[in-house]
């Protein structure tokens, strides 16, 4: 597979970069004969070229990840995992102004979605944040400050609130339901082939700390690190890793067995 001449290249006169005479650690394909394109060294020590770095970081954003980590192998199949700051990525990926705008819009949207619970008010259409995560009944203060009728709506179905409140499960509108909870109840099953003695378990779990929906890639041990709250837990028994490992280990069945499908969404107390 030949590389296109239109690929981005480093300026050999750029003294802010550390150029190295090594293959691109992010590109599995060998360079074409006669390709003398410069490689630069990232802060983790791995060599990259601007095109491969741009492609890798764009793929992470497309997967919903807002941190950039080095995928280069270190020992065996283990990845480096070093986190690159965006300022470093922007410089060594030689991002164009259009790419910078695209990257920064996605970074902002993903970061906000991870740490804030916000939606557009169905009345004034302004994005508002919900702080009481255990209450679906929401009063829009933007409507009130704009001297408009205060819109009290259901955070789940986005319809005018109906029924008593506060409530954390649903309002009394007929079609109000928790889509995330329905997914947890109805998802398929997976088998963790490298964990001895564990049968099929639900393929999607809600992080027991923050409630983010996560999936296991079916490789390695039974534990998973939540990408939002950064708390590690066991995908099988749903205990925090440190609790699970008191009576078990990474690659054997949990002493408490497989946790059943979740019937309530955990609420993240960020205080």
């Amino acid at each position: 597979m030949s590389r296109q001449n239109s690929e981005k290249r480093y300026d050999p006169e750029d003294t802010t970069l550390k150029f190295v005479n090594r293959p691109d650690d992010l590109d599995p394909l060998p360079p074409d004969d006669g390709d003398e394109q410069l490689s630069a060294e990232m802060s983790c020590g791995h060599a990259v070229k601007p095109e491969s770095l741009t492609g890798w970081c764009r793929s992470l954003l497309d997967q919903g990840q807002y941190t950039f980590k080095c995928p280069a192998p270190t020992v065996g199949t283990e990845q480096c995992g070093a986190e690159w700051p965006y300022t470093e990525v922007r410089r060594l990926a030689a991002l164009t102004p259009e790419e910078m705008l695209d990257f920064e819009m996605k970074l902002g949207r993903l970061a906000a979605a991870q740490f804030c619970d916000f939606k557009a008010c169905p009345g004034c259409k302004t994005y508002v944040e919900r702080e009481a995560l255990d209450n679906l009944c929401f009063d829009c203060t933007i409507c009130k400050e704009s001297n408009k009728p205060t819109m009290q709506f259901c955070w789940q179905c986005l319809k005018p609130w109906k029924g008593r409140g506060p409530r954390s499960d649903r309002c009394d509108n007929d079609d109000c339901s928790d889509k995330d909870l329905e997914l947890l109840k109805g998802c398929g099953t997976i088998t963790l082939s490298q964990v001895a003695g564990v049968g099929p378990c639900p393929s999607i779990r809600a992080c027991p700390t923050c409630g983010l929906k996560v999936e296991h890639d079916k490789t390695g041990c039974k534990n998973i690190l939540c990408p939002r709250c950064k708390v590690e837990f066991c995908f099988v028994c749903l205990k925090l890793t440190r609790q699970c490992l008191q009576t078990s280990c990474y690659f054997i069945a949990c002493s408490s067995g497989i946790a059943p499908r979740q019937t309530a969404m955990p609420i993240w107390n960020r205080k």
Side-chain angles (χ1 to χ4, degrees):
M1 178 179 177
S2 63
R3 290 159 173 76
Q4 301 296 320
N5 293 330
S6 60
E7 283 188 347
K8 294 185 286 187
R9 293 175 180 266
Y10 293 125
D11 178 359
E13 303 299 323
D14 188 345
T15 58
T16 66
L17 301 179
K18 180 181 179 181
F19 297 118
V20 291
N21 187 23
R22 301 203 310 267
D24 185 347
D25 288 315
L26 305 190
D27 190 347
L29 296 175
D32 292 337
D33 292 338
D35 184 359
E36 298 180 357
Q37 186 179 354
L38 291 170
S39 295
E41 188 174 271
M42 299 293 288
S43 55
C44 62
H46 286 105
V48 300
K49 293 180 181 177
E51 200 73 29
S52 64
L53 181 59
T54 300
W56 170 249
C57 292
R58 180 181 287 118
S59 72
L60 292 177
L61 291 173
D62 291 343
Q63 294 169 42
Q65 300 183 45
Y66 62 93
T67 55
F68 302 115
K69 293 187 178 181
C70 177
T74 52
V75 179
T77 58
E78 185 176 344
Q79 292 184 342
C80 169
E83 187 171 324
W84 301 318
Y86 170 65
T87 51
E88 180 181 12
V89 168
R90 182 180 60 194
R91 190 163 55 92
L92 277 85
L95 295 181
T96 65
E98 293 78 13
E99 288 172 333
M100 281 191 281
L101 179 62
D102 180 52
F103 271 47
E104 289 164 16
M105 288 182 64
K106 288 178 179 177
L107 283 169
R109 186 170 64 250
L110 290 170
Q114 290 288 333
F115 295 103
C116 302
D117 192 12
F118 64 92
K119 291 183 178 179
C121 168
C124 66
K125 310 303 181 185
T126 303
Y127 275 89
V128 290
E129 180 181 1
R130 180 175 66 141
E131 295 183 354
L133 301 184
D134 57 350
N135 182 16
L136 291 173
C137 183
F138 187 86
D139 290 298
C140 179
T141 57
I142 306 297
C143 289
K144 183 177 181 180
E145 292 172 359
S146 303
N147 295 320
K148 297 178 180 179
T150 301
M151 181 68 177
Q152 187 178 68
F153 66 92
C154 174
W155 195 261
Q156 189 159 266
C157 67
L158 296 179
K159 292 185 177 180
W161 183 263
K162 185 177 180 180
R164 62 178 179 83
R167 287 180 65 176
S168 62
D169 55 345
R170 55 166 296 166
C171 70
D172 285 348
N173 284 300
D174 291 339
D175 58 350
C176 183
S177 63
D178 189 333
K179 305 302 181 187
D180 289 340
L181 197 55
E182 290 180 0
L183 181 61
L184 294 176
K185 292 178 179 178
C187 67
T189 59
I190 60 170
T191 299
L192 305 182
S193 60
Q194 297 181 40
V195 183
V198 173
C201 66
S203 61
I204 302 174
R205 297 289 207 179
C207 169
T209 298
C210 72
L212 181 72
K213 300 189 303 298
V214 292
E215 297 180 73
H216 198 292
D217 64 6
K218 297 183 282 188
T219 64
C221 74
K222 60 188 179 182
N223 295 282
I224 189 168
L225 181 68
C226 176
R228 176 161 67 180
C229 65
K230 308 301 182 186
V231 174
E232 187 177 355
F233 68 95
C234 175
F235 199 82
V236 177
C237 70
L238 293 180
K239 294 179 182 178
L240 299 186
T241 295
R242 65 176 181 272
Q243 297 171 336
C244 176
L245 295 183
Q246 290 177 0
T247 56
S248 180
C249 73
Y250 287 101
F251 291 94
I252 66 171
C254 309
S255 60
S256 57
I258 301 173
R261 293 180 182 272
Q262 291 157 288
T263 57
M265 294 296 293
I267 295 175
W268 190 12
N269 183 3
R270 292 173 285 181
K271 296 181 179 180

